[in-house]
Amino acid sequence: MERQSDSRPARPTDAGPRQPAPAHLADMLDSLSDGFMSIDRSWRFTYLNHTAERFLQRDRQNLLGRDVWQCYPDLVGSGYYRVYQETAATGLPGRHTDYYAPLGTWFEVRSFAHDDGITVLFRDVTREREHAAQLEFEASHDYLTGLANRRKCMEVLSRAVAEAASSGSRHDASEAVLFIDLDHFKEVNDAFGHAIGDELLRGFAKRLTAIPDPAFFAARVGGDEFVLLLRNTTESAAEAFAHALLGELAAPFEVSGRSVSLSASIGIALLREAPGSAETLLNHADAAMYAAKSSGRFQVRSYDRALDRGMRERLALRMELREAFEANQFELHFQPQIALSNGSAIGAEALLRWRHPERGLLTPHAFLGVLLESPYEGALVEWLLNAVCQHIAAWRRQSISVPRVSLNLSARQLLSVGLTDRILDIAREYDVSPAMLDIEVTEDCLVSDIEKATSVLSALKQAGISTSLDDFGSGYSSLGYLVRLPIDTLKIDKSFVRALAESQKASAVIRGIVGLARSLGMKTIAEGVECQRQIAELKDAGCDAIQGYLVSRPLDSKALAEFMLRLS
Ligand code: C2E
Ligand code: CA
Ligand code: CA
């Protein structure tokens, strides 16, 4: 058999008496998937199996009897060399894995001593190594952007925390963590699709890694959340860096033939000020980012303790929202609105309250931000519509006339799909006329998507539901778009009303607003009226109605009923 003769090792020329492996043993050795070779005490090859031949890419006939180190001079001094020498000298087995550059291969070798020299078993572990490296890369990197992932980020942060603790240095410079969160990325994703969203994330990551010192580590730790680590910095230097970064990131991205702009909010935490753990450090940066976001996005904030307390409260509230809905802890208070002409009630504004089991009755400023950013934003609309209609039906049963009830909606609530139909459905359920309902929205609500807002307002009008523009004068105050909006009532913001008693200019502005509203066919209600002086000015300006503490504070349902009875 050819294979048999082929596999029989040639007798080395002067290697002393050596038994060629018996045919069946040679067969067996040749069938091994491991390389197998014997080397005598003078470092000459005495046997190589078929696999060894293949691994070494040399014909074994050319190697047998020759000096190992002459055949493979690059091995001299290498790790393999040391292991073979050691095994030969001590008689103990050796093991070593190394890269052998001339063959471009990783070999794992095991060497065993015997009387005549050593035997070496070796495997090509190149694939395994590459696979392991790949796995390691995948386990520590984000597939989309190639940046480090959350796991890797925690590893690096932990190391930084440990190093800072062991060095115990108290000087000013510190490492800083920047927590970067894209603003409105969900909307971008919804508008352009996930493919473009992914491309934007990749582009964003590329910009992050392109920035030079002092950032030395970048990771993507969540959908649109990134972390940068800065070395040897101070709070003010880190803030300056973050501001510059926001500038860089603001330049539009070109994706699939479109130009898309992104903005981000950045929170900063200094390692020096968050001793303890990597989690604490990241949480601090996250909390600071959250604060940056709530103070209007496209902002930078550094962490401080007060912020942490505020954050903890917000988080706690967020956790309690479900319970609040389930246990019916929300309620409505109503603030009457009075016509300036004859003092009669024109309606009431429904204002949300949370009867919190531990913290008592909460007004919206304590929880509305959290609620509107939570998954319960939509549930609130349902609850609100039902509650308002229920109260109207109850007053009707008591023969109490409340001409109209206004309810407040956020931008997203206003633009949510099917709003008008939902209002009509619920109103019908309680046999409430749509004309008894008024929807209050703020200016920022409208400018975010003026086309869509206009069409929703028109639909509401069509359905017989009236609309009010809330806090007019406190926001964008662009009079231009006002002309095009189908709005019934303009609510003059309390900041104007407050200024009335103090400045001539405020009177002039209010006259202007009332005049404009009238020419557009809108009514006006002044908010936050607290004194007689303001009433006189408002009457003078031609304002239609008022709402404020002077007339009444917001009242619970029963108190409002009594108030209305007294008026009638
Ligand atoms: P807003 O719509 O401007 O409501 C008027 C706020 O001014 C109410 O505060 C009211 O209590 C207060 N106020 C009334 N009269 C006076 C006064 O004479 N002087 C002063 N200084 N303040 C007065 P509240 O109830 O705390 O509501 C705060 C904001 O929360 C509301 O401002 C509204 O934007 C929002 N909000 C209230 N209820 C809801 C709701 O059901 N849904 C939504 N989306 N937002 C709501
Ligand atoms: Ca309002
Ligand atoms: Ca208002």
Side-chain angles (χ1 to χ4, degrees):
M1 260 166 92
E2 201 197 356
R3 198 162 156 270
Q4 208 168 2
S5 68
D6 193 37
S7 58
R8 191 168 299 139
R11 195 187 175 95
T13 41
D14 56 356
R18 182 155 313 283
Q19 279 301 114
H24 68 277
L25 180 58
D27 266 356
M28 204 224 19
L29 290 176
D30 265 346
S31 67
L32 283 180
S33 61
D34 284 2
F36 180 94
M37 59 192 187
S38 284
I39 297 166
D40 70 14
R41 290 190 168 279
S42 321
W43 298 105
R44 282 173 301 202
F45 285 110
T46 54
Y47 176 76
L48 294 113
N49 75 347
H50 201 58
T51 311
E53 205 177 16
R54 188 158 53 77
F55 282 166
L56 298 178
Q57 297 170 27
R58 291 273 278 274
D59 191 344
R60 54 185 154 186
Q61 300 303 338
N62 294 335
L63 292 173
L64 286 169
R66 293 180 56 195
D67 184 285
V68 175
W69 314 124
Q70 272 170 16
C71 294
Y72 293 95
D74 327 77
L75 281 183
V76 178
S78 71
Y80 303 116
Y81 178 87
R82 278 196 303 276
V83 172
Y84 297 166
Q85 295 281 352
E86 240 172 68
T87 298
T90 64
L92 295 172
R95 186 176 181 159
H96 183 68
T97 303
D98 215 339
Y99 184 67
Y100 185 53
L103 294 177
T105 309
W106 282 87
F107 287 118
E108 181 202 70
V109 303
R110 290 145 180 266
S111 50
F112 306 91
H114 53 73
D115 288 349
D116 301 324
I118 63 169
T119 292
V120 178
L121 265 170
F122 59 114
R123 295 195 303 134
D124 177 349
V125 292
T126 312
R127 280 260 184 87
E128 271 167 50
R129 298 282 304 201
E130 283 171 358
H131 189 60
Q134 180 68 22
L135 283 183
E136 167 58 25
F137 185 85
E138 277 166 13
S140 60
H141 286 76
D142 161 47
Y143 72 98
L144 185 68
T145 60
L147 295 183
N149 63 9
R150 190 174 193 100
R151 202 197 80 169
K152 180 81 182 170
C153 177
M154 294 318 288
E155 244 174 65
V156 171
L157 287 185
S158 302
R159 212 175 311 135
V161 169
E163 274 165 21
S166 69
S167 78
S169 68
R170 297 288 318 161
H171 47 72
D172 283 345
S174 165
E175 262 143 30
V177 174
L178 266 62
F179 198 106
I180 306 167
D181 186 289
L182 298 184
D183 297 332
H184 304 296
F185 188 68
K186 190 183 166 310
E187 280 91 330
V188 171
N189 239 345
D190 290 348
F192 298 115
H194 285 267
I196 288 191
D198 284 356
E199 215 174 308
L200 277 169
L201 288 172
R202 271 194 293 268
F204 188 84
K206 207 177 268 169
R207 280 195 200 167
L208 276 188
T209 43
I211 46 172
D213 275 345
F216 67 94
F217 176 76
R220 177 174 175 234
V221 296
D224 58 351
E225 297 168 341
F226 298 83
V227 164
L228 281 185
L229 216 56
L230 308 190
R231 229 194 276 276
N232 274 341
T233 186
T234 59
E235 183 167 304
S236 57
E239 282 178 359
F241 178 85
H243 280 292
L245 185 60
L246 282 186
E248 294 264 324
L249 299 173
F253 290 86
E254 302 300 325
V255 283
S256 309
R258 305 164 194 269
S259 170
V260 184
S261 291
L262 290 177
S263 88
S265 301
I266 303 183
I268 301 173
L270 290 191
L271 184 96
R272 179 161 46 89
E273 270 151 30
S277 70
E279 277 82 20
T280 315
L281 185 60
L282 200 63
N283 283 344
H284 284 184
D286 188 9
M289 182 283 293
Y290 202 69
K293 206 151 267 233
S294 18
S295 63
R297 295 168 210 261
F298 199 57
Q299 305 268 336
V300 173
R301 273 294 284 274
S302 283
Y303 174 82
D304 63 52
R305 263 162 228 290
L307 197 117
D308 191 36
R309 205 165 40 243
M311 265 303 295
R312 266 207 298 274
E313 275 172 17
R314 290 170 74 89
L315 276 179
L317 281 179
R318 198 184 156 93
M319 313 284 258
E320 289 161 354
L321 283 175
R322 172 206 271 276
E323 164 94 23
F325 274 100
E326 282 174 357
N328 218 358
Q329 292 168 357
F330 288 114
E331 55 188 72
L332 286 178
H333 283 194
F334 300 89
Q335 189 173 35
Q337 298 166 332
I338 303 296
L340 271 179
S341 58
N342 59 9
S344 65
I346 61 164
E349 177 178 3
L351 295 162
L352 188 62
R353 299 290 180 262
W354 180 354
R355 201 164 286 280
H356 192 280
E358 282 122 42
R359 300 173 56 191
L361 190 67
L362 302 180
T363 56
H365 86 269
F367 65 86
L368 193 65
V370 174
L371 178 49
L372 293 180
E373 297 251 299
S374 78
Y376 294 99
E377 190 186 28
L380 175 63
V381 180
E382 285 285 309
W383 180 87
L384 193 59
L385 289 168
N386 275 290
V388 164
C389 291
Q390 223 163 24
H391 284 297
I392 293 177
W395 292 321
R396 187 176 49 210
R397 280 196 302 276
Q398 301 164 262
S399 306
I400 288 161
S401 145
V402 180
R404 196 181 67 182
V405 176
S406 301
L407 34 105
N408 295 278
L409 292 186
S410 71
R412 266 196 304 241
Q413 289 176 330
L414 178 78
L415 301 181
S416 63
V417 187
L419 176 73
T420 309
D421 289 340
R422 201 59 205 126
I423 299 178
L424 291 178
D425 284 349
I426 294 174
R428 205 172 300 124
E429 229 174 277
Y430 294 90
D431 196 21
V432 165
S433 156
M436 290 191 68
L437 299 175
D438 179 79
I439 303 294
E440 291 191 10
V441 293
T442 54
E443 296 176 85
D444 61 329
C445 204
L446 305 175
V447 294
S448 70
D449 189 344
I450 188 90
E451 302 300 327
K452 200 161 168 216
T454 308
S455 86
V456 173
L457 291 175
S458 305
L460 288 170
K461 201 184 185 79
Q462 279 277 309
I465 302 159
S466 64
T467 53
S468 299
L469 189 57
D470 206 358
D471 303 343
F472 185 77
S474 71
Y476 295 82
S477 298
S478 141
L479 298 178
Y481 69 84
L482 203 60
V483 183
R484 312 195 325 220
L485 287 172
I487 294 263
D488 301 293
T489 306
L490 212 60
K491 295 191 77 176
I492 302 167
D493 190 62
K494 43 181 172 278
S495 57
F496 274 123
V497 176
R498 194 172 309 129
L500 260 186
E502 293 145 24
S503 94
Q504 287 277 296
K505 218 166 127 207
S507 310
V509 172
I510 289 201
R511 268 166 224 279
I513 295 175
V514 173
L516 172 81
R518 190 166 286 165
S519 71
L520 294 172
M522 299 176 186
K523 300 269 185 216
T524 43
I525 298 182
E527 289 189 293
V529 178
E530 294 179 351
C531 66
Q532 289 295 346
R533 170 93 189 270
Q534 291 164 337
I535 293 198
E537 293 255 12
L538 289 164
K539 246 186 196 155
D540 224 34
C543 184
D544 294 299
I546 54 166
Q547 175 182 347
Y549 292 167
L550 185 68
V551 176
S552 169
R553 291 196 170 246
L555 306 167
D556 65 24
S557 174
K558 189 163 163 275
L560 182 85
E562 285 160 8
F563 179 92
M564 291 294 180
L565 268 182
R566 249 181 286 131
L567 260 196
S568 60

